Amino acid sequence: MAQPDSKKIFFENLSGAGKAIAVLTSGGDAQGMNAAVRAVVRMGLYVGAKVYFIHEGYQGMVDGGENIKEASWESVSSMLQVGGTVIGSARCKEFRTHEGRLKAALNLVQHGITNLCVIGGDGSLTGANLFREEWSGLLGELVEQGSIEAEAVQKYSALHIVGMVGSIDNDFCGTDMTIGTDSALHRIIEVVDAIMTTAQSHQRTFVLEVMGRHCGYLALVSALACGADWVLIPEMPPEDGWEDKMCQKLSANRAGMKRLNIIIVAEGAIDHNNKPITTEYIKNLVVKCLGFDTRVTILGHVQRGGTPSAFDRILASRMGVEAVLALLETTANTPACVVSLCGNQSVRLPLMECVQMTQEVQKAMDEKRFEEAVKLRGRSFENNLRTYKLLAHRKPESELPTSNFNVAVLNVGAPAAGMNAAVRSAVRVGISEGHKMFAVSDGFEGFYKGQIKEIKWADVGGWTGQGGSLLGTKRTLPAKHVDKIAEQMRAHNINALLIVGGFEAFESLLQLYEARATYEEFCIPMCMLPATISNNVPGTDLSIGADTALNAIVETCDRIKQSASGTKRRVFIIETMGGYCGYLASVGGLAAGADAAYIYEEPFDIRDLQANVEHLTEKMKGSIQRGLVLRNENCNENYTTDFIYQLYSEEGKGVFDSRKNVLGHMQQGGAPSPFDRNFGTKISAKAMQWVTKKLLETFRQGRVFANTEDSCCLLGMRRRALVFQPVVQLKDHTDFVHRIPKEQWWLKLRPLMKILAKYKTSYDVSDSGQLEHVVRNRPKESDASVAM
C-alpha cells in the first residue's frame, strides 16, 4: 500500500560523510544491546560515517588503544540474537574523575570522534552529559599539555551525544520501555510458568524474588502476567498489617480450590518504614500463619541472560537507527538527547530532563511520598498497578455495586495467544463493576445455538498464561443467524457485548451494527478487542497475539540459521502466516536479521527477485555465511515459496545452496508472551470500563438503548494512545477483499530491514522523533502504554 512520502529522505541526502560515530555499552548488560549496536554501526555506515566500537564501556574510552576499533559491516553480523553485550561493559571509577575524562577526550580526538552513542542506564547517560559539557575545557587542557594541536580544538569543537536506555529494570523516566525489559520478562514468565505446574502438583506456595533494587516494574508486570496472588514493590509499600491481609488472601484462594499460591517480590521491596521485606521473611510468615508448604526461588542473573525477545530486537533496531539520525541532525546548541518509546512511536527527549525525573522518583521514595513516586514512574507503571489491583483483589459481595446489567464476552476468528488473558480481565473487571458476566462458547456459532452461561470470578483463574482460546472460537459471521442471535440476546437479557478476535470479529461487529435497524436487541454497547497473529485489523497498530507469533518466528529463524553454522554458505527461504498482511514477514524479518521479506503490500516481480539473489551472492562471496529470506503466505500467487526456493537454488549455484521451511500453525500456538498477556489484560480492563460507562449513559426507562455510532467501537493502539473508534468509521480505511487496513504503520519499518541488510534504499523519516519535553511526552489519557 502506498504511504505518504512528503518527508521521505533518500540515501544521497542522509549524509554523514566526514563524521565519526562511536558506540559503547555501559553499566549493567541487557538483552537487545547488541541489536542496538548493530543498528548504530550499519546505519552509520549507510550514511557514510566512520563508526567505532568502544569496548568495555567508559573504561575502554579511558584506556584507549585496542579498546577503540573501527567497525565494519561484517563485524556486527550474527550478533542480533546474542544476549548481553558483545563489545563489553564495565563500571569505571576513573571516568568519574576529571583526569579520567581528560584521558577519554584525548583518545576520542585521536580517532576524530565527536559523536557518541551511549547505551546504558541513567548513571552512564549522566556521565556522558557531564563529559559533553566539559568537552571544550578538556580540549583546552590537552592543547596546554601539548597532547593535541591548537587546530584540533576548532576541528573537534563540540561533542554530540545521543543516549539509548539499556536496562532490564525499566527504571528510566521518559520512555515506556527500555531495551532488555521485555526479554527479562520472558525469562521471569518462563520460570513462573514452570513453577506453577510443580506448585499445583504439591499444593505449594512459591515466593519469587525478581530483580528491581529501586524499581518494581518487573515484579509488577510479571505479577500481572501470571495472575500472582500478591506482589511487593518498592514504589508502593504495603499498608501496616499487610501480613494478615496477605495470609487471609492466600487462605481464601486455597479454600476456593486453588492448588497453588504465587507471591512475587522485587529485590528492593520495602515496608512503609523503608525496612526491607525479604523472601525469607515472607516464607516464614506463610509457614507460621498458614502452615502451607512454601518454597523460595530467587531468579537472579537468569533475568539478564538469554537471547533477546522479538520486541527487544525491534525496539533496539528502531532506536539505533533513530540515534544515528539524531546525531546527524544535532547542532552545537542541541541538548544531549535520549531516544525513547512513547506508545508505538519514537521520540527524542532532553537527556537531563529524563535523568532528573528518574532521580526525583528515588527522592520521593526516600521521603515516603510513595503515591508521587508511582506517578513519576509514568502512565504505563501507574496503569499496570491500577489494573493489577483491579484484577487480583476481589471485593466482598457487599462492597460491589449492583448494576443489574448482563454482559456477554466471546472470541471470534482464529485463536490468538493472549485471548484468554483478555477474557479473564473482562470477566473480573465486569464482576468488580457489578455486572453479571456471560461466556459464549465457539463464537457466533455457539451464540445462535445458545451456548451461553454465566461465568464467575474463580472460573477464569489461571487463564492468563494459557494459549489458544479456552472459550472456543469460530470464524462464523453473525449475518446468516442474526434472528437466532437476537433471540438468544432476549432470552439471556444481554445488555452489552465484548468481542475478542481478528478480522472476522471486525466484520461481525459491522454486521451487528447494521442489524440494529431491524433488531433492537443489538442497540446495546458493543466493543471489540483486536486479537489476531496477522495484525491485520484496521484501527490498531497492534493486535493481541501478534507478539507471541513474532517470537515463534524469530526463535525458529535463529535455530534454522544456527543449523547452517559450520556448513557451506546457505540461504533459507521461510514462509510465514498472515493472509495478505505482511506484518509477520516484515517485522519478523527485521527482528531475525532477514535479507529480504516478500509481502503483498509491496508488489515485486522477477527483476526484484533477481536483484535479491545477486545481492545475496555478493554478500556470500565475503565473510557472510548465511542468508535469510521471509515470504508472506499470500504475497504473490505465482511467486510461491517453492518457486522462490528453486530460483535461489538455481541462481546461487557455486556460491550458496538453499533450503526452505513453512512455519505453519506453530505461529498460532504456544503460551502467550508477557507482552500479549499484559496488552490483552490492560486493553480488556479499559474496554470493560468503557462498557460500564456506556451502559449507564444509555440506560433509560428500565432498559438499555444505544443506537449511535460511538456505542459500537473497536479499541486499538494508535501511535501514542489507546483509542475507541466507531467501527462504521473504519470501513473506509479497510480493504475488505484482502482483509487488511488500507494504511499500515509498519510499512515504514521495511526500509530499516533493507538498510540493515546492506541495500541502498530510500528512508522515510516522517515518523522520525522530534525533540520534546518529558512532561509533554505524556498523553492525557492513562493509556499510552503499548509497552505493557
Side-chain angles (χ1 to χ4, degrees):
M1 294 288 149
Q3 296 291 307
D5 60 355
S6 55
K7 290 178 71 179
K8 196 168 273 190
I9 288 185
F10 291 87
F11 172 72
E12 298 82 49
N13 306 101
L14 268 174
S15 179
K19 293 199 174 187
I21 298 170
V23 59
L24 71 146
T25 54
S26 177
D29 63 307
Q31 308 97 318
M33 279 183 164
N34 290 323
V37 170
R38 172 181 176 267
V40 169
V41 169
R42 291 195 167 176
M43 188 63 179
L45 294 173
Y46 170 87
V47 298
K50 270 189 174 183
V51 187
Y52 291 87
F53 293 132
I54 299 179
H55 292 271
E56 311 306 332
Y58 287 118
Q59 191 65 56
M61 196 192 294
V62 171
D63 295 344
E66 286 297 301
N67 288 303
I68 303 176
K69 287 183 181 174
E70 190 170 349
S72 67
W73 195 274
E74 289 73 20
S75 62
V76 290
S77 293
S78 302
M79 66 191 286
L80 187 63
Q81 66 271 26
V82 180
T85 166
V86 169
I87 60 174
S89 181
R91 312 278 180 191
C92 180
K93 288 183 181 176
E94 202 175 348
F95 189 75
R96 294 178 187 175
T97 67
H98 184 78
E99 292 73 21
R101 293 192 290 277
L102 194 65
K103 286 183 190 175
L106 176 61
N107 288 325
L108 293 189
V109 169
Q110 285 173 342
H111 288 87
I113 298 167
T114 55
N115 296 280
L116 268 188
C117 186
V118 181
I119 307 165
D122 60 334
S124 305
L125 299 178
T126 305
N129 191 63
L130 176 63
F131 190 40
R132 172 184 164 274
E133 288 172 349
E134 291 181 349
W135 181 256
S136 57
L138 293 170
L139 294 196
E141 285 183 52
L142 290 171
V143 170
E144 285 174 23
Q145 291 174 5
S147 302
I148 60 172
E149 300 294 328
E151 302 86 68
V153 176
Q154 188 65 33
K155 190 175 179 182
Y156 307 116
S157 59
L159 178 68
H160 305 298
I161 285 173
V162 172
M164 280 185 277
V165 191
S167 163
I168 68 165
D169 292 333
N170 201 28
D171 57 353
F172 193 81
C173 293
T175 184
D176 282 348
M177 205 66 158
T178 57
I179 295 166
T181 304
D182 186 68
S183 300
L185 285 169
H186 272 258
R187 299 297 93 79
I188 294 168
I189 294 304
E190 283 163 14
V191 172
V192 172
D193 284 352
I195 278 175
M196 285 175 91
T197 56
T198 182
Q200 201 152 21
S201 303
H202 297 277
Q203 294 198 53
R204 281 187 178 139
T205 295
F206 269 87
V207 185
L208 269 80
E209 182 183 287
V210 301
M211 282 185 165
R213 197 170 299 130
H214 304 292
C215 178
Y217 186 88
L218 289 178
L220 176 58
V221 172
S222 53
L224 199 54
C226 72
D229 298 88
W230 203 267
V231 65
L232 293 154
I233 58 173
E235 291 88 348
M236 188 52 71
E239 296 169 3
D240 291 340
W242 65 272
E243 293 94 340
D244 291 338
K245 286 181 183 175
M246 185 185 76
C247 289
Q248 285 167 15
K249 170 91 186 296
L250 298 180
S251 183
N253 283 352
R254 197 63 73 86
M257 303 306 289
K258 189 175 179 183
R259 291 178 59 85
L260 75 154
N261 302 112
I262 300 285
I263 301 164
I264 296 183
V265 188
E267 62 179 328
I270 51 173
D271 63 17
H272 263 282
N273 299 311
N274 283 349
K275 183 184 169 187
I277 300 173
T278 65
T279 50
E280 210 50 45
Y281 175 74
I282 296 167
K283 176 193 169 181
N284 294 336
L285 179 71
V286 174
V287 171
K288 182 183 172 186
C289 296
L290 301 173
F292 290 172
D293 183 3
T294 307
R295 306 295 165 94
V296 170
T297 299
I298 297 173
L299 270 62
H301 282 73
V302 164
Q303 297 156 86
R304 286 198 186 278
T307 187
S309 66
F311 184 98
D312 271 329
R313 298 184 198 196
I314 296 156
L315 174 66
S317 298
R318 287 176 73 182
M319 298 296 102
V321 167
E322 186 67 37
V324 173
L325 290 176
L327 284 171
L328 294 183
E329 293 170 16
T330 194
T331 65
N333 301 319
T334 310
C337 76
V338 62
V339 178
S340 301
L341 183 75
C342 181
N344 190 33
Q345 203 176 10
S346 301
V347 293
R348 300 176 196 169
L349 301 169
L351 191 153
M352 289 316 294
E353 282 187 23
C354 297
V355 168
Q356 281 155 14
M357 188 171 276
T358 304
Q359 290 168 349
E360 279 176 36
V361 178
Q362 190 57 50
K363 188 181 176 189
M365 285 160 62
D366 292 342
E367 295 172 2
K368 301 183 183 180
R369 293 180 283 117
F370 297 111
E371 284 187 16
E372 191 178 333
V374 169
K375 282 191 170 65
L376 286 167
R377 277 274 179 242
R379 300 283 188 172
S380 171
F381 191 94
E382 211 176 346
N383 202 15
N384 280 315
L385 186 57
R386 187 165 49 246
T387 308
Y388 176 77
K389 286 178 178 176
L390 201 59
L391 297 172
H393 303 294
R394 186 182 183 184
K395 292 178 183 174
E397 296 285 339
S398 57
E399 291 182 28
L400 291 174
T402 49
S403 70
N404 297 319
F405 292 123
N406 294 345
V407 181
V409 58
L410 67 158
N411 295 337
V412 177
M419 275 183 163
N420 297 322
V423 172
R424 169 186 175 267
S425 178
V427 168
R428 292 197 167 179
V429 173
I431 290 169
S432 296
E433 309 224 321
H435 309 319
K436 193 179 274 189
M437 298 299 296
F438 287 84
V440 182
S441 300
D442 299 334
F444 283 107
E445 193 171 305
F447 211 134
Y448 82 79
K449 290 177 179 175
Q451 293 169 215
I452 304 164
K453 63 177 183 179
E454 189 179 351
I455 188 165
K456 300 288 185 70
W457 184 282
D459 295 337
V460 292
W463 279 34
T464 318
Q466 299 284 322
S469 165
L470 292 172
L471 284 184
T473 182
K474 293 280 176 72
R475 295 180 184 271
T476 309
L477 297 178
K480 286 183 183 176
H481 311 285
V482 74
D483 53 340
K484 290 180 181 174
I485 293 169
E487 196 179 303
Q488 292 295 338
M489 300 269 285
R490 272 197 308 277
H492 292 88
N493 189 28
I494 302 298
N495 306 119
L497 270 186
L498 182 68
I499 304 172
V500 184
F503 202 87
E504 289 89 353
F506 173 64
E507 290 180 299
S508 298
L509 210 49
L510 279 171
Q511 290 178 2
L512 294 182
Y513 176 80
E514 285 159 9
R516 280 177 169 180
T518 315
Y519 299 92
E520 280 195 2
E521 287 81 2
F522 302 117
C523 294
I524 58 172
M526 295 187 282
C527 185
M528 175 200 159
L529 303 179
T532 165
I533 69 165
S534 303
N535 200 30
N536 63 331
V537 178
T540 188
D541 290 354
L542 295 164
S543 300
I544 299 164
D547 183 72
T548 305
L550 276 178
N551 277 289
I553 291 166
V554 168
E555 284 168 22
T556 309
C557 287
D558 285 353
R559 291 183 185 187
I560 286 170
K561 285 200 293 185
Q562 192 180 47
S563 73
S565 60
T567 66
K568 61 181 180 177
R569 292 176 172 85
R570 184 165 286 170
V571 173
F572 295 95
I573 318 294
I574 314 285
E575 182 186 301
T576 67
M577 291 173 85
Y580 285 96
C581 180
Y583 176 81
L584 290 179
S586 294
V587 182
L590 177 61
D595 294 278
Y598 300 118
I599 61 170
Y600 164 77
E601 293 92 339
E602 202 171 273
F604 59 96
D605 57 25
I606 195 70
R607 289 180 293 275
D608 297 309
L609 290 169
Q610 184 63 34
N612 292 151
V613 173
E614 288 169 3
H615 183 79
L616 267 168
T617 305
E618 198 59 38
K619 282 173 75 173
M620 292 281 181
K621 286 176 181 173
S623 60
I624 304 294
Q625 296 288 318
R626 290 158 291 180
L628 184 67
V629 174
L630 270 62
R631 178 190 176 273
N632 167 245
E633 59 184 349
N634 288 348
C635 66
N636 189 295
E637 61 182 343
N638 295 313
Y639 299 135
T640 63
T641 302
D642 281 337
F643 177 90
I644 293 173
Y645 160 67
Q646 287 163 3
L647 176 73
Y648 272 72
S649 297
E650 181 62 32
E651 296 297 319
K653 274 183 181 174
V655 180
F656 61 81
D657 66 0
S658 302
R659 293 287 185 274
K660 64 175 177 176
N661 197 298
V662 178
L663 300 185
H665 281 77
M666 63 163 290
Q667 296 159 84
Q668 226 163 12
S673 67
F675 182 97
D676 278 331
R677 296 182 194 202
N678 290 331
F679 189 46
T681 297
K682 290 205 299 192
I683 67 168
S684 188
K686 188 169 182 66
M688 280 307 301
Q689 289 167 335
W690 176 88
V691 164
T692 300
K693 181 168 169 272
K694 288 292 176 190
L695 282 168
L696 294 172
E697 284 175 5
T698 57
F699 184 69
R700 296 285 181 275
Q701 298 171 340
R703 59 175 286 209
V704 173
F705 186 82
N707 200 22
T708 54
E709 287 183 359
D710 67 352
S711 62
C712 182
C713 283
L714 177 148
L715 174 57
M717 164 57 66
R718 300 303 295 265
R719 294 168 73 85
R720 298 195 187 191
L722 286 168
V723 186
F724 289 96
Q725 302 145 98
V727 288
V728 71
Q729 292 178 15
L730 294 171
K731 280 174 75 173
D732 292 340
H733 302 280
T734 308
D735 174 354
F736 284 94
V737 174
H738 298 101
R739 297 157 57 86
I740 53 174
K742 288 180 180 175
E743 284 192 8
Q744 304 189 82
W745 69 273
W746 52 264
L747 285 168
K748 290 181 180 178
L749 296 182
R750 281 183 63 79
L752 296 194
M753 186 187 71
K754 292 176 182 176
I755 287 167
L756 299 177
K758 213 173 183 177
Y759 284 92
K760 298 281 178 72
T761 183
S762 59
Y763 182 61
D764 181 357
V765 295
S766 58
D767 265 354
S768 172
Q770 302 301 314
L771 194 65
E772 302 179 13
H773 292 282
V774 177
V775 178
R776 287 184 202 153
N777 179 37
R778 295 181 183 174
K780 291 176 185 174
E781 297 292 325
S782 62
D783 54 19
S785 54
V786 61
M788 296 186 291

